[in-house]
Amino acid sequence: MLTVFDAQHQEIQSYTPEWAAANTGISAADIRKIARDFHQAKSPILIPGWSGARYGNIQMLRRVQAMIQGLKGGFDVPGGWIFGGDYREQVRHMKRPPQGRCRPRPRG
């Protein structure tokens, strides 16, 4: 059985840093550094912004951004993407733990 993750992994094999460098003008070395920095960051976030709306592939752009956030565990956590206005309103009024007493949420 092929999982969605495996199918996506197969689909992107030809999209190497060298391919991206040829299409963006950003060096493959810089692309690798950005990827490593994002991977090693404690709470990385991709900010979609609105500029993507000018392009025909906006849905794929948003899909990839969401997949990367999901792989890093960046949904509905401090520093990550939080969805929905009602949720943001709830978060705004949450009580914060005393300084130095915050523990990470267990994963899994």
Side-chain angles (χ1 to χ4, degrees):
M1 177 190 319
L2 187 65
T3 66
V4 172
F5 181 83
D6 290 336
Q8 288 291 303
H9 188 260
Q10 287 178 5
E11 186 176 325
I12 63 171
Q13 290 306 298
S14 63
Y15 300 108
T16 64
E18 289 73 25
W19 173 88
N23 285 280
T24 64
I26 301 168
S27 74
D30 284 345
I31 291 169
R32 284 187 178 89
K33 181 180 180 336
I34 292 165
R36 283 189 197 102
D37 289 350
F38 188 88
H39 171 71
Q40 293 171 352
K42 181 180 177 185
S43 295
I45 187 169
L46 292 172
I47 306 291
W50 287 100
S51 62
R54 292 181 261 179
Y55 303 99
N57 65 347
I58 185 64
Q59 274 120 352
M60 184 56 75
L61 173 64
R62 297 296 189 243
R63 177 180 173 203
V64 170
Q65 289 170 326
M67 289 169 63
I68 291 171
Q69 284 299 133
L71 289 170
K72 283 296 291 180
F75 290 120
D76 294 336
V77 296
W81 282 3
I82 297 177
F83 294 102
D86 60 332
Y87 188 84
R88 282 192 291 275
E89 188 63 24
Q90 292 171 18
V91 169
R92 186 176 309 150
H93 298 291
M94 282 180 166
K95 290 185 178 180
R96 301 286 177 204
Q99 195 69 10
R101 298 194 57 167
C102 183
R103 284 182 250 161
R105 288 182 0 191
R107 293 187 183 241

